[in-house]
């Protein structure tokens, strides 16, 4: 611990958001610094690397206007922390945790490091309580459970925000207990019209929310900070106030691009498509914060939205995300063009934690069987579509034509639901009816 | 020896400590974070730190320990969950709460253990030579030998019966205490008398592996697959059902919730071979993706050293790591912090040789005291974008004995385990076959050849059927497609959530035998001129079974 605050004006160079400061005594890794601009403005920065008395600092915010002679850097001896108190609820902040709702900042009850600490794997509770989202494709076929991290893989132009907003509005835990749920909404590099849409959704919400908003015009480096603030607040509300917290982060692609931008400025070795080699570990440090603790109420459930560049699921961002998260909800351009909402393609979608969340005592005894049958027959129907394209419907057998009809009916009756919320009972009843109509429920 | 931190970059720290040796363990900073020396220069050493370096300051003290990174070997490792540095996670939870704080955690669990049962082989007053057996610690059916240290000498005191875990079991002349535990450097393979080239089958309980691509004890296998192809599920199924004495499972850079699920499942299950609780044969090493990256690099060495220890007790040990790609990425991250010249895709050029060294730790050995033990290594790989041409998969392919390719297409059809039967291979097929012919059923190899040929022909027919439709195929071909569909759905696919999850070699043989027999019979009838529909009805399985095997 240092007794005095150190202040330096020994800048060696400035490269974009990065400063090299010389002759610094005992800097700390990750230490927060305040940077006084020549024109009197102030910004924060963080220590990224130290080599003897030379320190590399990343400026959080706009670095325009910095110079080598008059800029002063003050070291605070502390790492980045988030202010926490129950008063954080129903407030909106920017990516540096400053209020943007014209209300004063709340008085923090405590401070916690934004990077969080890894949860001890033996302390983790197995996630197995269903969250009903109101969408059949999720509840029926890719069930979400408390403490899970389930991304939405979207493509540019697909209604991922309508789906995310729908989940925010309709989601409720199947077993209602504890202190109720909270939504933490983190916007990363959003365009204003998208933000306005989410803003309206948040205002419509009946429950509590906390919002961290970083718009496209806001500093890039704050994009790396905002989700960490969001998750620190989520952990606080979940594990100290026993709330079930649903964290929606949109759009993770902007986060990864910000990380790439900063990494390149740091002259780090680029990995695939220019993203840094540690993208996996960095994403995991966010995604893995979802979870539950044994013997404690509260949960952090994470729904990141990833817009796949070039609609490519093998692009590093969706690829690494898929390796860390417990499944994925994949949206399809084809279904969207046919007017299906939500346009969820159930074949590549998956919820890894579904097995324990469904069935007798959780949803309904026949849930697993219905889901398996829908899945199997829809996959067959989809395969046959390729055949249909070659030989035409007339050239196909009666049985094959029937499966084609089934696939179409499944998309219209189960996948498509428009704005309406569907409970899990309703989803299962409709699915059962569909399977019966096609006489596919034989063994049940 | 003491020094100070002079630089910090990612997970590596430069220190000004003199006289360090390469791979020596050092304690870094006021919190005493564990680290390992990875580079020495004049006046400066670079240390890879196993915990988060956030908050470390230049000028904080650094202390040399004089020893390498080691693991503690001896009784009490089973049924325990460790982090990548062999710190017991349950004890850490009691000490620190549900989150892991850097530094300060006890490195070993010996003190927390229940008393040991020691059976002496010598009496007080007798003299033992260096390395001579002093006695055994009994743990269930296992006997852990305790040997005299390098000095040897006359026995002053020797225990019999219960000994508290923290205390010596014997004291030699000169006050030399002998503990039931010993430390071993993780990067140093444990010695053995000689390697044997013996190939006994390792039954996994997975029909597709046991029948088409059998594994041998002491062998190695990799299964690469994109995300969602069921790597973890397959790995855990094998950990549950494999016919071995000890399972060491490494969760290397993977999901925390998955580990919670696995512990939950394993604690309820029994080992199908010994009928004892599954956890009593299992050691879990876990370093989830958000835990420090350098400890992830160390975790597979920690695990393989513990596995070798049990091999040396004469056990058949299976090491499962999920996933090796995360280990390689950790290596890349550290290499990049050290500013080394990168090789392919940024991985260090020593990736291949490190991997080859690791694979070489598998094998069947005759131990120093004449026992036979085996260590089998099964590794999952997560190729980026599901692209198998990437460096980690390719480096493994040169070293591994079996390759189970997990197929995204099959996974999308919910065909699990999604092992592609055209691309996968096992080099142990011939060696293991004779055992299976003897122990299970004659004609095993012939049956496999026939099944493979059928699947191969189906592939060709399916391409034709996509153009002309199934109706357009000849009767014999339609029969074949019907049978292979049955083989795929009921034999190769296996539902991990039902009783079907485990299949003995006898059951495996019976099922495939009846299917192939059925096909032979039906072909003959067809040849005699019987109507196709009538023949198909006979080979068609009941609807219920097909539905159960179709999904998961």
């Amino acid at each position: 611990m240092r007794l005095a605050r150190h202040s330096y004006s020994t800048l060696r160079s400035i490269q974009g958001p990065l400063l090299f400061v010389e002759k610094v005594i005992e800097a700390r890794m990750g230490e927060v610094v305040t940077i006084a601009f020549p024109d009197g403005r102030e910004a924060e920065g963080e220590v990224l690397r130290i080599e003897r008395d030379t320190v590399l600092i990343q400026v959080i915010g706009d670095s325009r206007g910095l110079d080598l002679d008059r800029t002063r850097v003050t070291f605070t001896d502390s790492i980045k922390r988030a202010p926490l108190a129950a008063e954080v609820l129903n407030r909106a902040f920017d990516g540096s945790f400053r209020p943007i709702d014209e209300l004063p900042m709340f008085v923090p009850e405590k401070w916690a490091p934004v990077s969080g600490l890894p949860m001890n794997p033996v302390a983790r509770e197995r996630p197995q309580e269903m969250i009903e989202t109101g969408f059949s494709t999720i509840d029926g076929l890719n069930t979400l459970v408390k403490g899970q991290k389930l991304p939405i893989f979207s493509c540019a132009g697909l209604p991922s925000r309508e789906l995310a907003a729908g989940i925010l509005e309709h989601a409720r835990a199947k077993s209602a207990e504890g202190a109720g749920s909270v939504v933490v909404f983190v916007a990363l590099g959003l365009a204003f019209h998208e933000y306005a849409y989410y803003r309206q959704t948040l205002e419509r919400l009946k429950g509590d929310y906390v919002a961290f908003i970083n718009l496209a015009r806001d500093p890039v480096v704050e994009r790396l900070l905002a989700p960490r603030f969001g998750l620190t607040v989520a952990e606080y509300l979940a594990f100290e106030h026993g709330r079930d917290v649903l964290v929606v982060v949109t759009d993770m692609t902007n986060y990864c691009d910000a990380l790439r931008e900063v990494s390149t400025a740091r002259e780090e070795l680029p990995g695939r498509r220019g993203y840094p080699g540690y993208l996996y570990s960095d994403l995991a440090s966010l995604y893995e914060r979802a979870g539950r603790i044994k013997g404690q109420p509260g949960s952090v459930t994470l729904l990141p939205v990833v817009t796949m560049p070039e609609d490519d699921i093998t692009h590093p961002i969706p690829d690494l995300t898929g390796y860390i998260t417990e499944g994925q909800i994949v949206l399809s351009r084809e279904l969207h063009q046919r007017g299906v909402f939500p346009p969820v393609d159930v074949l590549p979608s998956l919820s890894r934690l579904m097995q324990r969340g469904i069935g007798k005592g959780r949803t309904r005894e026949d849930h697993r069987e219905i889901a398996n049958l829908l899945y199997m027959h829809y996959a067959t129907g989809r395969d046959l579509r390729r055949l249909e394209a070659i030989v035409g419907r007339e050239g196909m057998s009666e049985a094959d034509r029937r499966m084609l009809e089934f696939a179409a009916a499944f998309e219209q009756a189960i996948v498509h639901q428009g704005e309406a919320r569907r409970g899990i009972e309703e989803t299962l009843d409709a699915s059962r009816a569909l399977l019966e109509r096609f006489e596919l429920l034989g063994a049940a | 020896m003491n020094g100070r931190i002079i630089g910090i970059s990612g997970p590596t720290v430069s220190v000004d400590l003199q006289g360090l040796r390469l791979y020596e363990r050092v304690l870094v900073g006021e919190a005493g974070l564990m680290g390992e020396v990875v580079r020495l220069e004049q006046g400066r050493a670079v240390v890879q730190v196993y915990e988060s370096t956030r908050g470390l300051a230049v000028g904080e003290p650094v202390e040399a320990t004089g020893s390498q990174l080691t693991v503690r070997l001896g009784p009490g490792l089973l049924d325990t969950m460790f982090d990548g540095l062999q710190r017991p996670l349950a004890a850490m939870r009691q000490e620190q709460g549900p989150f892991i704080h850097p530094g300060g955690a006890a490195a070993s669990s010996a003190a927390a253990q229940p008393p040991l049962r020691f059976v002496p082989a010598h009496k007080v007053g007798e003299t033992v030579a260096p390395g001579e057996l002093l006695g055994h610690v009994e743990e269930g059916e296992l006997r852990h030998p305790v040997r005299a240290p390098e000095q040897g000498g006359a026995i002053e005191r020797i225990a019999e019966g219960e000994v508290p875990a923290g205390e010596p079991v014997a004291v030699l002349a000169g006050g030399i205490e002998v503990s039931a535990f010993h430390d071993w450097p993780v990067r140093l393979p444990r010695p053995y008398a000689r390697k044997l080239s013996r190939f006994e089958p390792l039954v996994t309980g997975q029909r597709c592996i046991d029948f088409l691509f059998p594994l041998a004890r002491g062998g190695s296998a990799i299964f690469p697959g994109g995300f969602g192809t069921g790597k973890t599920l397959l790995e855990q199924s094998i950990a549950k059902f494999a016919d071995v004495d000890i399972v060491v499972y490494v969760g290397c850079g993977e999901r925390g919730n998955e580990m919670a699920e696995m512990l939950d499942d394993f604690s309820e299950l029994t080992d199908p071979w010994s009928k004892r609780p599954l956890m009593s044969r299992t050691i879990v090493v876990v370093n989830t993706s958000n835990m420090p990256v350098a400890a992830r690099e160390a975790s597979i060495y920690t695990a393989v050293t513990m596995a070798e220890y049990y091999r040396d007790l004469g056990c058949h040990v299976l090491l499962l790591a999920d996933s090796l790609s995360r280990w390689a990425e950790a290596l890349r991250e550290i290499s990049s912090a050290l500013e080394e010249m990168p090789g392919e895709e940024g991985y260090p050029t020593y990736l291949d040789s490190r991997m080859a060294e690791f694979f070489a730790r598998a094998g069947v050995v005759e131990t120093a005291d004449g026992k036979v033990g085996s260590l089998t290594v099964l590794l999952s790989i997560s190729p980026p974008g599901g692209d198998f041409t990437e460096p980690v998969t390719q480096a493994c392919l040169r070293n591994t004995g079996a390759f189970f390719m997990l197929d995204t297409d099959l996974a999308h059809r919910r065909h699990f385990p999604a092992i592609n039967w055209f691309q996968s291979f096992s080099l142990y097929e011939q060696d293991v076959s004779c055992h299976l012919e003897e122990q299970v059923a004659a004609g095993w190899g012939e049956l496999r050849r026939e099944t493979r040929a059928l699947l191969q022909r189906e592939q060709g027919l399916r391409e034709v059927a996509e153009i002309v439709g199934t109706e357009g195929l000849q009767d014999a071909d339609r029969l074949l497609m019907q049978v292979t569909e049955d083989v795929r759905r009921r034999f190769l696919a296996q539902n991990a959530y039902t009783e079907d999850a485990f299949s003995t070699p006898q059951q495996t043989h019976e099922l495939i035998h009846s299917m192939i027999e059925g096909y032979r019979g039906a072909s003959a009838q067809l040849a005699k001129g019987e109507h196709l529909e009538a023949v198909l009805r006979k080979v068609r399985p009941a609807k219920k079974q097909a539905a159960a095997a179709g999904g998961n």
Side-chain angles (χ1 to χ4, degrees):
Chain A
M1 200 57 114
R2 290 192 297 259
L3 295 173
R5 281 157 70 95
H6 290 222
S7 183
Y8 301 89
S9 54
T10 44
L11 271 71
R12 192 180 74 198
S13 67
I14 305 173
Q15 300 168 13
L18 301 178
L19 307 180
F20 283 90
V21 185
E22 291 180 316
K23 303 193 180 105
V24 179
I25 305 167
E26 302 196 340
R28 209 173 268 286
M29 188 73 164
E31 183 169 351
V32 177
V33 299
T34 42
I35 300 154
F37 284 60
D39 61 5
R41 270 190 306 139
E42 278 206 348
E44 274 195 348
E46 193 182 304
V47 174
L48 289 184
R49 192 163 67 211
I50 313 165
E51 186 54 51
R52 296 190 190 264
D53 64 353
T54 305
V55 174
L56 173 64
I57 289 165
Q58 171 174 306
V59 184
I60 299 167
D62 194 352
S63 58
R64 264 173 294 192
L66 286 177
D67 73 355
L68 288 177
D69 303 326
R70 287 168 299 168
T71 303
R72 277 201 86 74
V73 177
T74 308
F75 287 71
T76 63
D77 199 30
S78 123
I79 56 170
K80 191 81 192 156
R81 286 165 206 275
L84 299 171
E87 287 74 36
V88 74
L89 287 174
N90 302 314
R91 299 289 308 271
F93 304 92
D94 70 1
S96 284
F97 220 132
R98 288 179 294 246
I100 52 167
D101 49 9
E102 284 151 31
L103 293 170
M105 187 63 190
F106 59 89
V107 181
E109 165 202 296
K110 60 184 288 189
W111 294 78
V114 293
S115 49
L117 290 169
M119 198 187 283
N120 189 325
V122 299
R124 271 187 192 270
E125 177 74 82
R126 176 182 197 159
Q128 49 190 358
E129 284 168 61
M130 177 190 180
I131 297 176
E132 199 180 69
T133 63
F135 289 104
S136 297
T137 38
I138 300 179
D139 296 347
L141 288 152
N142 297 288
T143 316
L144 173 70
V145 293
K146 273 191 209 170
Q148 185 173 14
K149 40 194 179 292
L150 189 66
I152 298 169
F153 285 178
S154 179
C155 308
L158 295 193
S160 59
R161 64 169 192 199
E162 282 79 4
L163 179 61
I167 293 173
L168 286 182
E169 271 191 86
H170 298 314
R172 52 189 81 134
K174 196 78 172 85
S175 53
E177 54 169 66
S181 58
V182 182
V183 169
V184 172
F185 177 73
V186 183
L188 301 175
L190 281 200
F192 187 79
H193 63 273
E194 296 217 36
Y195 164 59
Y197 180 87
Y198 280 116
R199 183 82 227 196
Q200 284 169 7
T201 312
L202 288 175
E203 278 160 9
R204 270 204 310 277
L205 281 187
K206 288 172 199 79
D208 292 326
Y209 73 89
V210 185
F212 291 91
I213 308 295
N214 170 276
L215 296 182
R217 52 157 202 232
D218 292 336
V220 166
V221 180
E222 284 189 359
R223 237 157 263 173
L224 305 180
L225 214 48
R228 294 188 162 81
F229 278 130
L231 286 161
T232 308
V233 167
E235 282 173 353
Y236 167 77
L237 293 171
F239 303 129
E240 293 187 32
H241 290 270
R243 309 287 292 257
D244 286 317
V245 187
L246 184 63
V247 185
V248 176
V249 186
T250 178
D251 185 315
M252 283 306 291
T253 307
N254 293 335
Y255 173 88
C256 296
D257 285 352
L259 194 70
R260 174 167 67 177
E261 193 175 325
V262 171
S263 162
T264 315
R266 288 165 70 174
E267 297 182 349
E268 287 169 339
L269 210 61
R272 282 210 305 153
R273 300 241 183 162
Y275 294 96
Y278 51 79
L279 183 60
Y280 177 84
S281 299
D282 189 277
L283 286 174
S285 74
L286 299 178
Y287 294 148
E288 274 292 322
R289 291 173 80 172
R292 307 183 58 193
I293 296 177
K294 271 185 190 151
Q296 280 191 28
S299 62
V300 176
T301 310
L302 187 56
L303 281 178
V305 177
V306 176
T307 300
M308 299 184 281
E310 300 152 38
D311 299 6
D312 178 9
I313 200 167
T314 65
H315 184 280
I317 300 172
D319 188 49
L320 295 180
T321 297
Y323 272 124
I324 305 164
T325 55
E326 286 124 2
Q328 64 276 339
I329 303 293
V330 183
L331 303 189
S332 141
R333 200 176 283 285
E334 195 197 327
L335 285 173
H336 177 60
Q337 272 159 359
R338 273 192 268 138
V340 173
F341 180 82
V344 174
D345 186 352
V346 298
L347 296 189
S349 299
L350 172 73
S351 165
R352 294 168 188 270
L353 302 180
M354 171 175 180
Q355 291 300 331
R356 277 297 182 106
I358 63 170
K360 202 173 177 181
R362 301 233 173 250
T363 52
R364 223 165 73 180
E365 201 174 352
D366 57 352
H367 189 158
R368 189 165 292 129
E369 189 204 350
I370 288 180
N372 285 344
L373 286 173
L374 284 180
Y375 202 95
M376 187 169 92
H377 295 304
Y378 179 59
T380 314
R382 280 271 294 266
D383 272 351
L384 289 168
R385 276 189 194 161
R386 267 184 304 172
L387 178 62
E388 189 193 6
I390 302 169
V391 300
R393 193 166 281 235
E394 293 69 33
M396 297 172 76
S397 72
E398 174 60 31
D400 285 353
R401 283 206 295 266
R402 195 91 181 123
M403 290 320 291
L404 281 174
E405 279 163 29
F406 173 81
F410 170 76
E411 283 166 6
Q412 282 311 316
I414 307 297
V415 179
H416 180 69
Q417 63 183 87
E419 299 290 302
R421 181 182 199 281
R422 243 189 242 149
I424 179 66
E425 286 286 335
E426 214 181 317
T427 294
L428 292 177
D429 287 342
S431 306
R432 233 192 138 79
L434 178 74
L435 288 166
E436 263 163 11
R437 182 144 71 86
F438 282 85
E439 292 166 3
L440 294 168
L441 212 55
Chain B
M1 270 192 305
N2 286 302
R4 308 219 155 259
I5 299 178
I6 55 174
I8 309 170
S9 166
T12 63
V13 167
S14 311
V15 302
D16 64 359
L17 208 54
Q18 300 290 322
L20 286 171
R21 281 177 298 175
L22 206 56
Y23 289 113
E24 182 169 343
R25 202 158 55 91
V26 288
L27 299 173
V28 177
E30 267 138 26
L33 308 182
M34 217 195 288
E36 203 180 16
V37 178
V38 289
R39 180 186 289 174
L40 287 169
E41 286 164 23
Q42 210 46 259
R44 181 177 112 119
V46 182
V47 176
Q48 154 182 348
V49 180
Y50 290 124
E51 294 173 77
S52 168
T53 52
R54 250 182 111 77
L56 271 186
V58 166
E60 283 193 38
V62 183
E63 195 188 320
T65 63
S67 70
Q68 296 184 33
L69 181 70
T70 55
V71 286
R72 176 147 293 188
L73 301 172
L77 297 174
L78 296 172
D79 194 6
T80 312
M81 204 166 168
F82 299 102
D83 78 348
L85 305 173
Q86 210 203 19
R87 293 182 296 199
L89 287 167
M92 281 168 85
R93 184 191 175 198
Q94 275 184 350
E95 225 171 89
Q96 309 179 328
F99 293 95
I100 298 175
H101 298 260
S108 161
S109 58
Q113 273 188 41
L116 313 171
R117 274 195 53 76
F118 184 71
V119 183
H122 289 276
K123 294 194 182 72
V124 173
E126 290 178 348
T127 301
V128 284
E132 198 180 333
L133 194 73
L134 278 166
H136 285 103
V137 175
E138 290 187 340
E139 184 190 24
E141 284 178 13
L142 287 170
R143 287 155 64 85
H144 299 265
V146 179
R147 295 176 187 285
E150 280 162 29
Q151 302 89 341
I155 300 173
E156 274 186 2
R157 224 170 64 210
I158 190 158
E160 182 158 11
E162 287 207 344
V163 187
E167 290 187 11
V169 292
V171 179
L172 303 187
I176 301 164
E177 294 189 344
V178 185
S179 161
F181 304 95
H182 67 278
D183 293 333
W184 190 269
V186 295
R187 297 186 195 277
L188 185 67
R190 286 174 62 86
Y192 45 81
R194 57 198 178 98
K195 268 207 171 163
L196 305 173
S197 76
R198 220 187 255 190
F199 298 96
E200 288 168 24
L202 191 155
V203 175
T204 62
Q206 304 294 308
R207 287 187 292 261
C208 182
I209 296 178
D210 292 344
F211 182 68
L212 287 179
F213 312 107
L215 257 179
R217 282 183 173 159
S220 57
I222 57 167
F223 39 108
F227 67 80
T229 49
K231 286 184 297 296
T232 304
L233 195 63
L234 177 60
E235 188 132 17
Q236 292 183 359
S237 294
I238 295 174
K240 284 177 197 166
F241 304 123
D243 177 18
V244 289
D245 305 315
I246 303 289
V247 172
V248 182
Y249 187 98
V250 200
C252 178
E254 290 289 313
R255 308 174 178 96
N257 280 336
E258 238 162 39
M259 296 312 296
E261 266 194 314
M262 176 180 155
L263 290 185
D264 209 41
D265 279 350
F266 276 39
S267 62
E268 290 167 10
L269 293 169
T270 49
D271 171 7
W273 304 92
S274 72
K275 310 293 176 209
R276 283 200 306 258
L278 192 60
M279 278 310 284
S280 72
R281 71 168 202 183
T282 311
I283 301 173
V284 181
V285 176
V286 45
N287 191 272
T288 55
S289 55
N290 56 340
M291 284 157 82
V293 78
R296 192 195 301 168
E297 190 269 332
S299 66
I300 70 161
Y301 293 106
T302 299
V304 77
T305 309
M306 289 196 274
E308 282 178 342
Y309 172 73
Y310 282 96
R311 174 202 69 190
D312 294 347
L313 298 183
C315 297
H316 294 295
V317 187
L318 174 63
L319 175 87
L320 297 139
D322 184 24
S323 111
L324 197 69
S325 297
R326 306 299 165 225
W327 169 81
E329 281 163 14
L331 206 64
R332 174 168 69 183
E333 227 166 284
I334 295 157
S335 161
S336 136
L338 293 172
E339 296 178 353
E340 292 172 337
M341 185 78 87
E344 215 179 331
E345 288 197 19
Y347 289 104
T349 43
Y350 47 79
L351 175 73
D352 293 31
S353 57
R354 290 270 172 97
M355 234 173 231
E357 279 168 28
F358 181 73
F359 274 95
R361 291 176 82 160
V364 185
V365 304
E366 188 184 310
T367 65
D369 48 3
K371 291 180 193 138
V372 174
S374 73
L375 171 55
T376 314
V377 176
L378 236 83
L379 308 162
S380 78
I381 292 168
S382 323
D387 171 13
F388 296 123
T389 62
E390 55 95 37
V392 181
T393 313
Q394 289 305 316
C396 282
L397 274 174
R398 288 197 291 278
N399 291 301
T400 187
F403 167 67
F404 310 136
M405 185 193 125
L406 300 185
D407 191 327
T408 311
D409 255 7
L410 288 175
H412 281 181
R413 276 163 220 277
R414 299 293 202 262
H415 174 109
F416 290 110
I419 299 172
N420 180 306
W421 46 87
F422 296 119
Q423 307 281 333
S424 306
F425 66 78
S426 164
L427 301 179
Y428 310 114
E429 202 179 301
Q430 293 308 322
D431 299 304
V432 166
S433 270
C434 44
H435 283 271
L436 291 169
E437 298 254 350
E438 266 170 44
Q439 290 164 10
V440 186
W444 179 283
E446 185 49 43
L447 205 53
R448 177 165 56 213
R449 264 190 297 281
E450 198 165 343
T451 312
R452 244 191 221 146
L454 286 181
L455 289 167
Q456 191 77 51
R457 272 175 62 201
E458 185 208 17
Q459 173 82 347
L461 287 174
R462 248 203 288 181
E463 280 162 23
V464 179
E466 275 197 8
I467 303 167
V468 301
T470 1
E471 313 288 290
L473 293 178
Q474 294 187 348
D475 285 358
D477 293 341
R478 286 185 62 191
L479 171 67
L480 184 140
M481 292 207 38
Q482 176 82 45
V483 171
T484 48
E485 185 183 337
D486 197 29
V487 169
R488 281 189 284 112
R489 286 223 166 128
R490 286 201 303 133
F491 181 76
L492 295 177
Q494 219 166 325
N495 189 335
Y497 298 101
T498 61
E499 277 176 15
D500 189 43
F502 171 64
S503 173
T504 64
Q506 284 76 15
Q507 288 167 332
T508 298
H509 179 263
E510 226 166 83
L511 185 57
I512 190 68
H513 187 253
S514 73
M515 285 176 173
I516 300 298
E517 276 295 294
Y519 171 68
R520 285 177 190 148
S523 298
Q525 285 172 349
L526 203 61
K528 270 191 231 152
E530 211 165 309
H531 197 263
L532 176 71
E533 286 305 318
V535 175
L536 285 184
R537 256 197 301 281
K538 283 181 206 159
V539 292
R540 189 169 290 158
K543 227 175 185 176
K544 190 169 187 174
Q545 283 167 314
N552 73 5

